[in-house]
Structure formats: C-alpha cells, structure tokens
Amino acid sequence: QVQLVESGGGLVQPGDSLRLSCVASGRDLSRYYMAWFRQAPGKDREFVAGISWNADITKTADSVKYRFAISRDNAKNAVYLHMDTLKLEDTAVYYCAAPSVPTLVVDTASLYHYWGQGTQVTVSS
C-alpha cells in the first residue's frame, strides 16, 4: 500500500522558516502530481501548493505566494515545502497528497486519493 509520511513541522515564531518533507513508500510516485494542503483549527482543508512530476508546473495559493515554495526529488520519492516569513495564520496541520491518477493537476482536496497523516506547524509569538 502507498504510504506518505510528512515531517519537519514544529513550533516557530512569526518570520521564521521551516522545510516540510514528505516521503512516499509502497509505490513509485515520481510520475504523479503532488500537493500540499493544510487545515487550521475550525477551518476547511485548503490547497497550499502543487508540483508536476518533472516540476514544469508549479502552483501556489495566493495566500502563500512569494513565501512558500514546493519542490521534489523523484530519486528519493519525496516532495518538500519550503516556508519562509511564517505568519500566525499559517498555523495548521500540513498534509502531503497525491491524486488518484498521475495525470490530474488539480487543487481540490476531494480529487486526491493518497494522504499522509499530517505534520503540525504552529506559529506563535
């Protein structure tokens, strides 16, 4: 079975940086579009960023543009989220996800099939 495991979350202050990692096992996802979502307390899960298999397509939500960047290393079956200038409103559980088929390039959570357990990012002063 496919397993996605996120890591790198933690407690930081506003303005700090973090790098989240997601490593897949059980299947080679190098040809899949991959994405990061987040869910803050009391709010819906929202799209953060996505990247195609060869990184020719990258997408980021307006709320994180110019602050967050997504990348991947297919040799390691991994995807990363580089987060700079973190704000209080970035506090959330961050999830790594892959769609049901590799050709999907979407930002809708319901179209994703594989999910990690999430990693907590807390930004507090």
Side-chain angles (χ1 to χ4, degrees), residues 4-64:
L4 302 178
V5 180
E6 303 96 335
S7 63
L11 175 63
V12 298
Q13 295 183 333
D16 285 353
S17 299
L18 282 175
R19 188 184 79 161
L20 305 184
S21 298
C22 171
V23 179
S25 62
R27 181 178 296 179
D28 181 9
L29 299 183
S30 62
R31 289 297 197 273
Y32 279 71
Y33 183 79
M34 299 290 293
W36 287 94
F37 290 80
R38 68 184 182 184
Q39 188 164 20
K43 298 183 179 180
D44 294 331
R45 188 168 298 187
E46 65 173 340
F47 173 81
V48 176
I51 185 169
S52 62
W53 75 275
N54 60 353
D56 63 335
I57 300 173
T58 58
K59 298 180 182 293
T60 54
D62 289 342
S63 60
V64 302

Side-chain angles (χ1 to χ4, degrees), residues 2-3 11 15 31 41 48 51 60-61 78 82 84 87 92-93 108 117:
V2 175
Q3 183 177 27
L11 175 63
R31 289 297 197 273
V48 176
I51 185 169
T60 54
H82 308 264
D84 293 325
K87 302 177 179 180
V93 177
T108 303
Q117 294 298 306

